[in-house]
Amino acid sequence: MRKQTTAINTPFVRPDVYGALAVPIYNNVSFEFKDAQEMSDAFCNRIKAPDYARIANPTVTQFEQRVKALTGADHVTAFNSGMAAISTALLAVVAQGKNVVTSRHLFGNTLALISGTLLRLGVKPRLRDLTNLEAVEQAIDEQTACVFLEIVTNPQLEVADLKAIADIAHKKGVPLIADSTVIPFTETNLKALGVDVEVVSSTKYISGGGTSLGGLIIDYGTFPQINQRVKYDLLINLGVYMTPQTAYMQTLGLETLDVRYQRHAANTLQLAKDLSEIPAIHRVNYIGLPDNPYYNLAQQQFGSTAGAMLTIDLESKNACFRFMNRLKLIHRATNLFDNRTLAIHPASTIFGLFPERQLEQMDVRQTTIRLSVGLESPEDLLLDIQQALKLDDL
């Protein structure tokens, strides 16, 4: 079956007693067993049955099964946020004295996790330019726990060569963990490019309109110890499992993901082309534009679509603030890939507590506005941007 069909028709793990078509919400904590042996088998993972909702819930399990069917993964685990998924994936591979090879071009909280939280636990960050393959190879040693990257960085929109990095990492016995939030897994085949584990903020495209927080670890089984630690250590001990209410909403979102994403991507490409013609905009950064330095690599790795995030640069931080304050249709809000188009000034918000020198090292500019393009008519979005730019004092 094609992916849109699979997203809607993946069978239940256990048939619903009433034959429900939409996944039921199992809004309960405990599950009864027919006898002591079945209870023991469930708790010791000898049979597939929920034992306690902090560890397994039928609604969440069905959501995980649909993602597994769509990706071909060996294991999928759902979490209560994207950051919970990232944290758990990294904690599954690190230990005191280990290091993580990654980039300064990361989402702010992810960078803070690796260079702050994990550093306090004795795990060293090795921040390198991941577009420089020689630098990547030199950074990996016998103490490297993993290479971690975003397949398209936020907000720099940098694209690294996944296959080349995976080959380097695997030659040294190191897994490649990739945050694939910016391009949905229905559009990519990261397993074929050598990615061992994907982490996804399902809050974004999947939730369908910013309805709920969630995250996913999509494990392709090439490093079996990772899933063992996720399922039988961290998931049990950290309490970061997705709730059934969220799983229900995100299962519904998954059913329309492909249809919505195609509109997201088409809108973003059209808007990026139109914005490139406006003199007041100093720079339009979108990997779907043929003149973008990462265009060819992105097309090779992700196919013909390029996601729904672009950035524009104006003449100054003040110009960015004035522009944002004049927006009438586009919303001033964080999050990505909502049905609505969202604008944010990353340097003063997501990265607002980082020192200016660090912002420069991360290529986060005071002149940049990030746009997450929604499902509105691109003509209406363009009109809103034009009216916000036309006033004399900009």
Side-chain angles (χ1 to χ4, degrees):
M1 293 189 296
R2 286 166 173 74
K3 289 189 176 181
Q4 177 61 32
T5 309
T6 299
I8 297 172
N9 292 287
T10 301
F12 291 155
V13 177
R14 291 184 174 185
D16 179 68
V17 66
Y18 295 107
L21 289 178
V23 58
I25 303 174
Y26 288 87
N27 192 24
N28 57 291
V29 171
S30 301
F31 304 90
E32 189 170 14
F33 301 93
K34 66 181 180 182
D35 55 38
Q37 184 60 52
E38 184 186 51
M39 191 174 191
S40 174
D41 289 343
F43 272 77
C44 296
N45 303 300
R46 290 187 289 268
I47 61 171
K48 288 187 176 180
D51 47 21
Y52 188 60
R54 179 167 55 79
I55 302 164
N57 175 280
T59 311
V60 184
T61 298
Q62 177 59 18
F63 176 57
E64 293 168 337
Q65 285 296 114
R66 294 202 191 192
V67 174
K68 184 177 178 181
L70 285 166
T71 58
D74 284 35
H75 313 282
V76 173
T77 310
F79 295 85
N80 54 29
S81 71
M83 282 306 304
I86 292 169
S87 301
T88 304
L90 289 172
L91 287 171
V93 297
V94 300
Q96 189 174 27
K98 295 285 189 178
N99 63 73
V100 173
V101 175
T102 188
S103 167
R104 286 186 173 85
H105 291 177
L106 292 176
F107 173 66
N109 291 118
T110 306
L111 184 63
L113 168 70
I114 294 172
S115 61
T117 307
L118 293 183
L119 181 61
R120 291 198 299 275
L121 300 178
V123 180
K124 296 179 181 179
R126 290 194 172 170
L127 305 177
R128 300 293 189 270
D129 176 1
L130 298 188
T131 66
N132 182 337
L133 297 178
E134 185 178 349
V136 174
E137 185 155 20
Q138 290 176 353
I140 300 173
D141 61 20
E142 61 277 0
Q143 294 304 314
T144 299
C146 69
V147 177
F148 179 90
L149 53 73
E150 296 171 2
I151 65 170
V152 181
T153 66
N154 173 15
Q156 302 88 353
L157 286 98
E158 176 185 278
V159 179
D161 188 330
L162 298 176
K163 184 67 169 64
I165 292 175
D167 288 345
I168 292 168
H170 294 163
K171 188 166 59 178
K172 299 192 176 187
V174 171
L176 174 59
I177 302 176
D179 183 335
S180 61
T181 299
V182 173
I183 308 286
F185 48 69
T186 50
E187 293 294 307
T188 62
N189 185 355
L190 298 192
K191 179 181 180 180
L193 295 174
V195 171
D196 301 294
V197 175
E198 287 183 59
V199 289
V200 180
S201 173
S202 56
T203 309
K204 309 303 191 291
Y205 290 116
I206 295 172
S207 77
T211 61
S212 49
L213 290 168
L216 293 162
I217 291 179
I218 301 170
D219 186 335
Y220 292 108
T222 45
F223 287 80
Q225 71 275 17
I226 295 177
N227 182 64
Q228 288 292 314
R229 290 171 184 162
V230 168
K231 290 284 191 182
Y232 307 122
D233 176 2
L234 299 166
L235 182 65
I236 294 170
N237 295 333
L238 295 182
V240 288
Y241 196 48
M242 181 177 279
T243 67
Q245 296 87 352
T246 293
Y248 171 76
M249 288 187 283
Q250 298 201 354
T251 300
L252 295 182
L254 199 61
E255 292 183 354
T256 61
L257 171 60
D258 185 63
V259 175
R260 288 183 290 103
Y261 174 72
Q262 298 305 324
R263 177 64 182 267
H264 274 295
N267 281 0
T268 311
L269 179 59
Q270 182 61 53
L271 190 61
K273 290 177 178 177
D274 291 338
L275 296 180
S276 298
E277 302 298 320
I278 298 177
I281 296 176
H282 292 215
R283 175 185 182 229
V284 177
N285 188 12
Y286 180 56
I287 61 171
L289 292 175
D291 63 353
N292 186 280
Y294 301 111
Y295 174 79
N296 290 330
L297 181 58
Q299 294 278 302
Q300 292 169 18
Q301 295 188 150
F302 315 133
S304 60
T305 62
M309 177 173 66
L310 65 82
T311 65
I312 60 174
D313 277 78
L314 303 180
E315 63 182 1
S316 66
K317 177 180 177 180
N318 287 339
C320 290
F321 274 41
R322 290 195 298 268
F323 167 77
M324 288 186 61
N325 290 344
R326 293 169 183 151
L327 292 170
K328 297 179 180 179
L329 173 63
I330 297 171
H331 300 269
R332 292 174 291 275
T334 191
N335 198 21
L336 288 169
F337 318 134
D338 194 309
N339 293 342
R340 303 155 192 82
T341 297
L342 311 177
I344 193 169
H345 182 254
S348 65
T349 53
I350 300 167
F351 299 90
L353 297 179
F354 286 76
E356 188 64 35
R357 184 169 175 272
Q358 193 170 0
L359 292 181
E360 292 174 3
Q361 293 174 338
M362 297 163 64
D363 197 25
V364 175
R365 307 178 186 186
Q366 296 291 348
T367 57
T368 299
I369 294 168
R370 188 189 76 185
L371 294 175
S372 168
V373 181
L375 303 180
E376 305 95 338
S377 164
E379 292 82 4
D380 292 330
L381 297 173
L382 179 61
L383 287 172
D384 191 33
I385 291 170
Q386 287 173 329
Q387 67 81 24
L389 287 168
K390 275 184 178 177
L391 299 181
D392 293 338
D393 62 340
L394 184 62

